[in-house]
């Protein structure tokens, strides 16, 4: 190494050390990652029940329920259910216009609604009906209402197309005198209003910004000394907002937004202000601030702009068709921050909600259209180089390089044939170059990032799974074993023998030893020894590894060794080079959400973090308590890649998965949990809805009259977290023996029919899932009026009649008959049980494939026929996949039929593991597998089939010490309306034939 290279490395190290204090705090590290962090939205569209795709306004009422105005009516949303109020222009107490432009929540639970052509309306929560205010004399100036703003007393400013009105607390409406519309120089058409703490009233008008100072009678046109600001406030002013920092924002029609600070000084904000802002000349319809201090701007066509006051950086959140977590549309009309801190966005394609509570876990997603989107969805490996850059090995030769300190991302790709395989390993060469393992080894210049393939010619045909280097020695793990390369002696590879398995997934240097993770245990190679020795699971030894499929290893500062396996997390309490190594382990019984652990990392507090088949888990180093994390904590990657993990340059933990990179800031505060309790959101008695204003709170009561015996009580935790990660249950004391769990995905509702008379206590429960899980309870009293036959006198008559009947029977005959009945009943029960057991066993055997344990052809076709019928009735998508193992006859001829059976079983096991629980998987015959995917379109079916096909191609089946690898071809048919099951099967078979004809090991979709 020359002096220039040494000087460069020392300089880079010094700069890195100087940068460390800047990222020492969790907040600084969070800010550094901010450009890469995806702003994740959960969307609500017409597919979820919205009456119209265009959402125009948002508000949260006094009870915490969210209301949405749309082009098609008013919608009430309690987190799981939508209730629509459509237009009823002919009904005296109905909604006058389906287009709800603006809304305001009143303290008594009512809502004020400004419509496009129906004037001002108030929703009465005591009756669930609407009160209409007059238009014209004694009413609003116009029937088009643009905005509603509080007067900070007991009234509201009503901004209309023909002037501004004031609605007092007693319901009187008066025209605002000397305001816009009252004089020729003040055009009537206004769009927004705001009254500040000092009592000044601001009106956003068609000709600019107007203000009436507190105590004054007249409005004046507002000007700013900065001509750039003056141009903005001279434009049409569509929105106003006072943020938590005291800034008053004004959003214009074509010139962006500016703000006035507490001192009365105007500010032009780069990226947000002026016609050259990131929103272009789009109208700023709404403004809101987030809990982290960011300010959000809804634009009419460019999406949502977000400005960070700490950095001055502005970015745009827009719809990205390649990322389902973005906002559904770029025409955004309203923003709202609810009491839990969620930010809601009203768009022309539905409503979107962003949960701001999770800051310590987030995702860097794939996207070809975003500046910080990954170039491929699958992150196969994560690596951090000496400069602190993060290298991501992606699918088909793609490599992304993240420099968090510089706020940059570079996309690279291995050229040639090596770029056709996934990048699964990185290492640093002695000269600082980055070595890349795909199908062979490539080299990347650390300065220019130029990629040079084929650096070790004798390994060009090998799929590199792992790499590690010490000195000039490079070890490369492959499907064919371990190869050693002397980088200083002409790249001459040598192969290691005596491994526990030839598939070497990970290589770790451990105090004079190499530890190799394989799919059949750990091979340990001490320095100076010619052979390996193996650590495996031994059922007879409680301190052996829990399972032989090994992922990554990590050592904490206590010299506790952590190992990820497909049987849980294993650890050695005090690791020493000479052993012995006694493993303990954590699995499902100890609280892990899944025992299939892909990778393990250790943070600076010695806590072990593990990526699971689904989700992340954290293990406390003192009491080994397991905490599972989910979407409420910011976790958005569905599943993770085996051993794809690394510790970042500043202590962040990085986990690669199918769908992006998960970043964990372990020292960041946990996701905030709100103070919301359980709220009763609806009550129906015999189908009759209780008005929302009369719904009981915690400890309240519901009276059920004697004619009503059908009762439904809807309830929910109105923090609007991820619905699937809140579990609900209820119990009616004195009626239910245990808690009744609400099925996942169903609305939280307690349903009862034929309730007896009496007083009961209905207990309601919500349990949140994740790192800050909590249990919330509430209760409501049910007073059920008795029916006539439940009255005391009716019961007395029945008792007397029963006693007379009993006395009229012979005691001896009664005893005889009862005894005989018991004997006969015992015989019937015994025979019935035997018959049920026999029938269940026969049904199971008749529908199960003997070799694989999956559905056989007959049972599969029966279930698939039902799925087709369900798709026909409910107009749901459905896909069918036929998979055929390529050249399977060669397997049987070469290795024998028993080996062929093992291959089929392995293929079925892999297919079943990659499918969802709702999918149907069966053996169609011979080496053919079949999958039915309810609710899945062509794209989803193709992605799943490709994952199965690629996994089969990469999997090795061991039989008698021999490795067998097979590929598969697949054909997909997507159900067409009215098509029969046989028609789908024929088209899937045609697609399969096309895949075979096109060269095998591929997937085709029948589009004929």
């Amino acid at each position: 190494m020359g002096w220039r290279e040494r000087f460069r490395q020392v300089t880079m190290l010094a700069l890195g050390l100087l940068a460390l204090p800047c990222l020492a705090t969790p907040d600084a590290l969070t800010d550094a990652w901010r450009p890469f962090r995806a702003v994740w939205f959960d969307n609500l569209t017409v597919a979820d029940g919205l009456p119209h795709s265009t959402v125009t306004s948002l508000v949260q009422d006094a009870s915490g329920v969210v209301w949405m105005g749309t082009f098609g009516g008013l919608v009430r949303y309690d987190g799981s259910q939508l209730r629509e109020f459509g237009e009823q222009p002919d009904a005296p107490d109905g909604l006058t216009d389906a287009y709800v432009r603006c809304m305001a929540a009143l303290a008594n639970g009512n809502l004020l609604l400004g419509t496009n052509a129906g004037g001002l309306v108030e929703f009465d929560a005591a009756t669930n009906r609407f009160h209409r205010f007059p238009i014209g004399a004694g009413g609003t100036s116009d029937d088009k209402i643009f905005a509603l703003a509080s007067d900070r007393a007991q009234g509201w400013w009503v901004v209309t197309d023909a002037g501004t009105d004031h609605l007092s607390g007693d319901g009187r409406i008066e025209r605002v005198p000397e305001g816009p519309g009252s004089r020729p120089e003040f055009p009537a058409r206004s769009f927004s209003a705001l009254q500040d703490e000092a009592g000044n009233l601001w009106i956003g008008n068609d000709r600019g910004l107007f203000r009436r100072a507190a105590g004054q009678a007249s409005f004046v046109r507002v000007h700013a000394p900065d001509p750039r600001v003056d141009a903005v406030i001279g434009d049409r002013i569509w929105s106003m907002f006072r943020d938590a920092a005291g800034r008053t924002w004004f959003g214009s029609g074509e010139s962006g937004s500016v703000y006035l600070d507490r001192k009365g000084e105007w500010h032009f904000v780069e990226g947000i202000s002026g016609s050259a802002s990131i929103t272009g000349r789009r109208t700023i319809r709404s403004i809101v601030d987030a809990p982290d201090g960011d300010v959000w701007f809804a634009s009419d066509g460019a999406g949502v702009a977000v400005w960070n006051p700490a950095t001055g950086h502005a970015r745009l959140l827009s719809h990205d068709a390649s990322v389902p977590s973005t906002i559904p549309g770029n025409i955004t009309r309203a923003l709202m921050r609810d009491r839990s801190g969620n930010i809601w966005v009203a768009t022309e394609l539905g409503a979107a909600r962003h949960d701001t509570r999770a800051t310590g876990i987030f995702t860097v997603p794939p996207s070809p259209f975003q500046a910080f989107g990954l170039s491929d969805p699958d992150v196969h490996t994560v690596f951090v180089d000496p400069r602190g850059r993060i290298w991501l090995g992606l699918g088909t030769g793609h490599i992304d390089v993240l420099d968090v300190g510089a706020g940059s991302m570079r996309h690279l790709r291995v050229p040639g044939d090596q770029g056709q395989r996934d990048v699964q390993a990185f290492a640093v060469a002695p000269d600082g170059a980055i070595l890349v393992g795909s199908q062979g080894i490539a080299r990347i210049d650390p300065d220019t990032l130029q990629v040079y393939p084929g650096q070790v010619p004798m390994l060009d045909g090998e799929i590199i799974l792992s790499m590690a280097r010490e000195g000039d020695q490079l070890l490369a793990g492959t499907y064919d074993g371990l190869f050693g390369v002397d980088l200083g002696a002409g790249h001459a590879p040598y192969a290691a023998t005596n491994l526990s398995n030839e598939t070497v997934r990970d290589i770790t240097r451990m105090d004079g030893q190499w530890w190799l993770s394989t799919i059949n245990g750990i091979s340990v190679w001490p320095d100076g020894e010619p052979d390996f020795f193996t650590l495996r699971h031994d059922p007879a030894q409680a301190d052996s590894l829990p399972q032989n499929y090994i992922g990554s290893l990590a050592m904490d500062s206590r010299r506790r060794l952590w190992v990820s396996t497909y049987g849980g997390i294993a650890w050695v309490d005090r690791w020493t080079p000479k052993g012995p190594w006694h493993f303990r382990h954590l699995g499902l019984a100890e609280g892990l959400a899944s025992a299939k652990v892909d990778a393990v990392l250790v943070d600076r507090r010695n806590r072990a973090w593990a990526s699971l088949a689904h989700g992340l888990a954290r293990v406390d180093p003192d009491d080994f308590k397991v905490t599972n994390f989910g979407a409420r904590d910011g976790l958005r990657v569905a599943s993770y890649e085996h051993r794809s993990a690394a510790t970042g340059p500043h202590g962040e933990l990085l986990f690669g998965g199918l769908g992006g990179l998960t970043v964990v800031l372990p020292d960041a505060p946990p996701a905030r949990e709100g103070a919301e309790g359980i709220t009763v959101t609806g009550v129906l008695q015999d189908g009759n809805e209780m008005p929302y204003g009369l719904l009981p709170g915690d400890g309240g009561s519901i009276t059920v009259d004697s004619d009503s015996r059908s009762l439904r009580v809807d309830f929910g935790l109105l923090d609007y977290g991820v619905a699937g990660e809140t579990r609900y249950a209820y119990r009616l004391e004195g009626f239910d023996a245990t808690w009744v769990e609400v099925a996942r995905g169903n609305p939280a509702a307690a349903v009862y029919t034929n309730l007896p008379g009496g007083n009961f206590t209905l207990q309601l429960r919500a349990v949140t899932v994740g790192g800050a899980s909590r249990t919330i309870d509430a209760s409501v009293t049910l007073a059920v009026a008795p029916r006539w036959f439940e009255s005391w006198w009716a019961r007395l008559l029945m008792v007397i009649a029963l006693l007379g009947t009993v006395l009229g029977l012979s005691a001896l005959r009664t005893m005889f008959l009862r005894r005989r009945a018991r004997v006969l009943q015992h015989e019937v029960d015994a025979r019935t049980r035997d018959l049920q057991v026999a029938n269940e066993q026969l049904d199971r055997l008749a529908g199960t494939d003997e070799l694989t344990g999956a559905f056989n052809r007959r049972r599969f076709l029966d279930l698939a026929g039902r799925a087709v019928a369900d798709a026909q009735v409910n107009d749901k998508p459905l896909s069918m996949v036929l998979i055929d193992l390529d050249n399977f006859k060669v397997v049987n001829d070469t290795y024998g039929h028993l080996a062929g059976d093992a291959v089929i079983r392995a293929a079925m096991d892999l297919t079943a593991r990659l499918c969802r629980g709702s999918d149907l998987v069966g053996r169609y015959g011979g080496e053919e597998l079949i999958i039915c995917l309810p609710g899945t379109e062509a794209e989803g079916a193709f992605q799943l089939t490709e994952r199965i096909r690629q996994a089969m191609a990469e999997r090795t089946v061991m039989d008698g010490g021999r490795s067998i690898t097979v590929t598969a071809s697949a054909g997909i048919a997507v159900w067409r309306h009215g098509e029969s099951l046989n028609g789908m099967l024929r088209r899937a078979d045609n697609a399969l034939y096309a895949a075979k004809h096109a060269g095998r090991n591929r997937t085709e979709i029948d589009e004929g």
Side-chain angles (χ1 to χ4, degrees):
M1 181 185 298
W3 68 270
R4 289 186 178 86
E5 178 62 20
R6 291 185 181 276
F7 178 78
R8 184 187 62 78
Q9 291 189 2
V10 170
T11 302
M12 292 300 297
L13 178 62
L15 290 175
L17 291 174
L18 289 173
L20 282 176
C22 300
L23 296 175
T25 66
D27 289 342
L29 190 55
T30 299
D31 288 339
W33 274 99
R34 185 183 295 269
F36 303 90
R37 178 195 296 263
V39 178
W40 204 278
F41 289 96
D42 293 300
N43 297 327
L44 197 68
T45 67
V46 290
D48 303 297
L50 286 180
H52 196 283
S53 63
T54 300
V55 180
T56 55
S57 51
L58 297 159
V59 75
Q60 188 175 28
D61 69 15
S63 70
V65 172
V66 170
W67 295 74
M68 305 177 194
T70 75
F71 276 1
L74 180 66
V75 176
R76 180 179 185 266
Y77 180 57
D78 65 2
S80 61
Q81 298 183 79
L82 294 169
R83 165 74 156 87
E84 175 191 350
F85 294 87
E87 180 179 353
Q88 295 177 295
D90 298 329
D93 55 0
L95 185 61
T96 56
D97 183 9
Y99 181 179
V100 180
R101 273 189 169 271
C102 54
M103 295 190 289
L106 305 183
N108 61 0
N110 291 0
L111 299 177
L112 276 182
L113 312 175
T115 69
N116 186 61
L120 184 66
V121 181
E122 182 174 353
F123 174 78
D124 185 358
T127 61
N128 282 10
R129 303 306 300 168
F130 297 87
H131 166 68
R132 303 178 180 182
F133 290 93
I135 302 169
T140 59
S141 300
D142 195 79
D143 60 359
K144 178 179 285 189
I145 311 297
F146 277 104
L148 298 166
S150 172
D151 71 353
R152 297 185 174 273
Q154 292 184 347
W156 293 86
W157 305 106
V158 184
V159 181
T160 80
D161 201 34
T164 302
D165 305 314
H166 182 265
L167 172 66
S168 62
D170 59 6
R172 291 182 295 107
I173 298 177
E174 296 178 348
R175 182 71 177 267
V176 176
E178 294 298 315
S182 61
R183 299 202 301 270
E185 65 270 26
F186 287 176
R189 195 178 195 206
S190 299
F191 306 110
S192 57
L194 182 145
Q195 185 168 344
D196 60 27
E197 295 94 331
N200 302 309
L201 177 61
W202 304 78
I203 299 293
N205 189 258
D206 199 36
R207 299 281 179 84
L209 181 63
F210 292 82
R211 185 185 69 171
R212 186 182 69 185
Q216 299 297 315
S218 299
F219 284 82
V220 296
R221 170 77 164 76
V222 179
H223 292 279
D226 186 337
R228 300 176 303 166
V229 174
D230 198 57
V232 177
I233 60 177
D235 196 355
R236 291 167 294 141
I237 302 300
W238 276 87
S239 54
M240 302 183 192
F241 178 73
R242 180 86 162 181
D243 68 19
R247 295 179 287 253
T248 304
W249 291 89
F250 301 91
S252 71
E254 297 184 7
S255 306
S257 298
V258 293
Y259 74 85
L260 185 69
D261 65 18
R262 293 181 186 272
K263 299 177 181 179
E265 297 177 354
W266 289 96
H267 294 265
F268 186 91
V269 181
E270 294 296 334
I272 297 297
S273 305
S275 58
S277 71
I278 60 175
T279 57
R281 303 182 72 90
R282 305 287 188 171
T283 300
I284 303 302
R285 290 293 193 98
S286 183
I287 308 170
V288 75
D289 56 350
D292 62 0
D294 283 358
V295 183
W296 292 43
F297 305 85
S299 76
D300 196 357
V304 176
V306 179
W307 177 69
N308 179 251
T311 64
H313 175 72
R315 57 174 169 162
L316 199 60
L317 308 178
S318 55
H319 174 66
D320 183 345
S322 67
V323 183
S325 61
T326 58
I327 56 175
N330 287 331
I331 299 177
T332 56
R333 296 174 174 269
L335 296 169
M336 181 190 73
R337 172 178 165 182
D338 69 19
R339 298 169 198 166
S340 298
N342 296 292
I343 303 296
W344 297 74
V345 185
T347 83
E348 89 279 16
L349 291 175
R353 179 189 62 84
H354 170 58
D355 191 340
T356 65
R357 288 169 287 191
T359 59
I361 300 176
F362 54 89
T363 301
V364 182
S367 172
F369 307 111
Q370 297 185 16
F372 296 101
L374 303 183
S375 57
D376 188 86
D378 297 340
V379 182
H380 294 284
T381 190
V382 186
F383 178 76
V384 180
D385 72 10
R387 302 186 188 184
R389 295 177 298 188
I390 299 165
W391 296 74
L392 304 181
L394 310 173
T396 58
H398 290 279
I399 299 170
D400 286 349
V401 187
L402 283 67
D403 191 331
V404 178
S408 67
M409 177 185 290
R410 290 283 301 274
H411 303 303
L412 312 176
R413 189 169 186 185
V414 180
D417 292 340
Q418 290 188 17
Q420 302 306 310
R421 302 293 301 192
D422 301 333
V423 175
Q424 301 192 68
F426 292 102
V428 179
D431 63 355
I434 305 299
L435 301 178
V436 180
S438 56
Q439 187 165 348
I441 296 178
R443 177 182 179 275
I444 300 179
D445 186 288
D447 298 314
T448 66
L449 300 186
Q450 181 68 37
V451 184
Y452 303 94
Q455 296 300 293
V456 184
M458 295 184 66
L459 292 181
D460 281 349
E462 294 289 343
I463 297 175
I464 308 300
L465 303 176
S466 54
M467 290 193 298
R469 180 190 66 84
E470 186 174 60
D472 287 335
Q473 183 187 33
L474 174 70
L475 296 183
T478 73
Y479 285 118
D480 297 320
L482 179 70
F483 291 87
V485 178
D486 188 345
L487 297 174
H491 308 298
Y494 57 89
T497 58
N498 301 324
L499 292 169
S500 59
N501 186 272
E502 292 182 347
T503 301
V504 180
R505 306 293 303 189
D506 193 48
I507 306 172
T508 305
R509 185 66 174 166
M510 304 273 288
D511 289 359
Q513 299 174 353
W514 292 104
W515 283 49
L516 311 180
S517 301
T518 78
I519 63 174
N520 193 25
I522 299 174
S523 290
V524 181
W525 189 12
D527 290 352
E529 296 292 333
D531 296 324
F532 296 84
F533 63 89
T534 299
L535 304 175
R536 287 194 182 97
H537 171 64
D538 185 348
Q541 293 185 356
D543 60 354
S544 67
L545 287 168
Q547 213 264 2
N548 288 330
Y549 202 107
I550 309 300
S552 63
L553 290 74
M555 183 83 75
D556 65 20
S557 64
R558 302 178 182 179
R559 294 191 67 79
R560 180 178 286 158
L561 175 65
W562 300 87
V563 183
S564 65
T565 82
Y566 270 15
I569 302 174
W571 81 90
V572 176
D573 203 34
R574 292 289 296 177
W575 187 89
T576 59
K578 295 183 179 180
W581 303 301
H582 301 287
F583 291 96
R584 300 163 67 187
H585 79 278
L586 297 167
L588 297 176
E590 289 73 32
L592 283 180
S594 171
K596 295 190 184 308
V597 183
D598 291 302
V600 63
L601 296 173
V602 176
D603 67 17
R604 292 169 177 170
R605 295 162 63 184
N606 285 325
R607 297 174 298 184
W609 294 73
S611 58
L612 313 178
H614 47 81
L616 291 179
R618 186 186 65 205
V619 182
D620 187 276
D622 298 319
D623 58 9
F624 297 96
K625 178 183 177 182
V626 175
T627 302
N628 293 293
F629 295 88
R632 274 181 172 266
D633 306 292
L635 197 63
R636 294 292 184 169
V637 172
S639 60
Y640 289 91
E641 287 280 9
H642 193 60
R643 63 165 184 79
S644 179
T647 300
H650 308 293
E652 59 268 66
L653 307 179
L654 311 169
F655 294 95
L658 301 176
L661 176 71
T662 293
V663 181
V664 178
L665 308 181
D667 295 325
R672 295 179 292 106
E673 285 289 346
E676 298 83 2
I678 294 179
T679 302
V680 174
T681 60
V683 174
L684 276 78
Q685 293 189 36
D686 286 349
N688 297 316
E689 187 176 34
M690 179 183 291
Y692 302 137
L694 305 181
L695 295 175
D698 185 13
S701 63
I702 300 173
T703 300
V704 183
D705 59 47
S706 60
D707 294 330
S708 299
R709 284 298 189 269
S710 175
L711 178 67
R712 172 181 171 131
V713 178
D714 297 320
F715 61 99
L717 183 64
L718 298 185
D719 64 353
Y720 296 94
V722 179
E725 296 200 353
T726 301
R727 311 292 170 79
Y728 291 102
Y730 60 91
R731 181 177 68 172
L732 190 60
E733 285 188 348
F735 190 85
D736 294 322
T738 59
W739 285 89
V740 180
E741 302 285 343
V742 176
R744 192 170 183 175
N746 289 346
V751 180
Y752 293 96
T753 56
N754 296 321
L755 282 172
N759 294 322
F760 305 90
T761 298
L762 178 61
Q763 296 178 317
L764 309 173
R765 172 167 292 175
V767 179
T768 63
V769 179
S773 61
R774 60 186 180 127
T775 299
I776 307 98
D777 290 319
S779 63
V780 175
T781 299
L782 299 186
V784 184
R787 296 180 179 178
W788 68 268
F789 52 81
E790 295 173 332
S791 60
W792 68 268
W793 56 267
R795 291 178 178 176
L796 179 60
L797 289 177
M798 286 188 285
V799 170
I800 294 173
L802 180 61
L803 288 175
T805 302
V806 172
L807 292 176
L809 298 174
S810 170
L812 186 60
R813 181 173 178 80
T814 299
M815 292 175 59
F816 170 79
L817 291 175
R818 289 178 178 174
R819 182 178 302 167
R820 184 174 179 83
R822 282 196 299 270
V823 172
L824 291 174
Q825 186 61 47
H826 288 162
E827 293 178 358
V828 170
D829 291 343
R831 293 180 181 180
T832 300
R833 285 194 300 270
D834 292 342
L835 183 59
Q836 288 175 341
V837 170
N839 286 338
E840 290 173 357
Q841 186 173 5
L842 288 173
D843 183 69
R844 185 166 56 254
L845 292 175
T848 302
D849 176 61
E850 183 177 0
L851 176 61
T852 63
F855 293 133
N856 61 19
R857 182 185 183 114
R858 182 189 63 82
R859 182 60 171 163
F860 178 90
L861 293 179
D862 177 54
L863 296 175
R866 299 179 191 177
V868 171
D870 180 67
Q872 179 71 33
V873 171
N874 298 304
D875 196 23
K876 295 180 178 178
L878 179 72
S879 296
M880 194 74 66
V881 182
L882 270 176
I883 301 175
D884 185 83
L885 303 182
D886 296 329
N887 299 317
F888 186 75
K889 186 176 183 300
V890 175
V891 175
N892 282 336
D893 293 344
T894 304
Y895 301 98
H897 288 280
L898 292 179
D901 290 346
V903 170
I904 292 174
R905 282 194 298 269
M908 178 61 75
D909 177 67
L910 184 146
T911 301
R913 284 193 294 106
L914 292 179
C915 289
R916 305 168 300 180
S918 59
D919 299 333
L920 304 176
V921 182
R923 185 181 180 194
Y924 200 56
E927 65 271 21
E928 277 192 309
L929 313 181
I930 190 167
I931 310 171
C932 180
L933 303 171
T936 304
E937 299 280 9
E939 183 181 358
F942 184 82
Q943 291 177 355
L944 171 63
T945 306
E946 279 295 278
R947 286 201 298 272
I948 293 172
R949 182 187 63 77
Q950 293 172 7
M952 285 187 184
E954 296 173 358
R955 179 164 182 172
T956 299
V957 178
M958 301 301 300
D959 181 74
R962 299 171 298 183
S963 300
I964 305 173
T965 303
V966 296
T967 61
S969 301
I972 302 173
V974 181
W975 178 75
R976 300 168 178 169
H977 190 74
E979 184 179 24
S980 68
L981 174 60
N982 288 335
M984 283 191 74
L985 293 174
R986 281 194 298 271
R987 293 194 297 108
D989 193 61
N990 290 340
L992 175 59
Y993 176 81
K996 292 286 188 180
H997 186 71
R1000 298 185 175 87
N1001 193 20
R1002 61 187 292 120
T1003 302
E1004 296 289 342
I1005 301 178
D1006 181 79
E1007 298 178 347

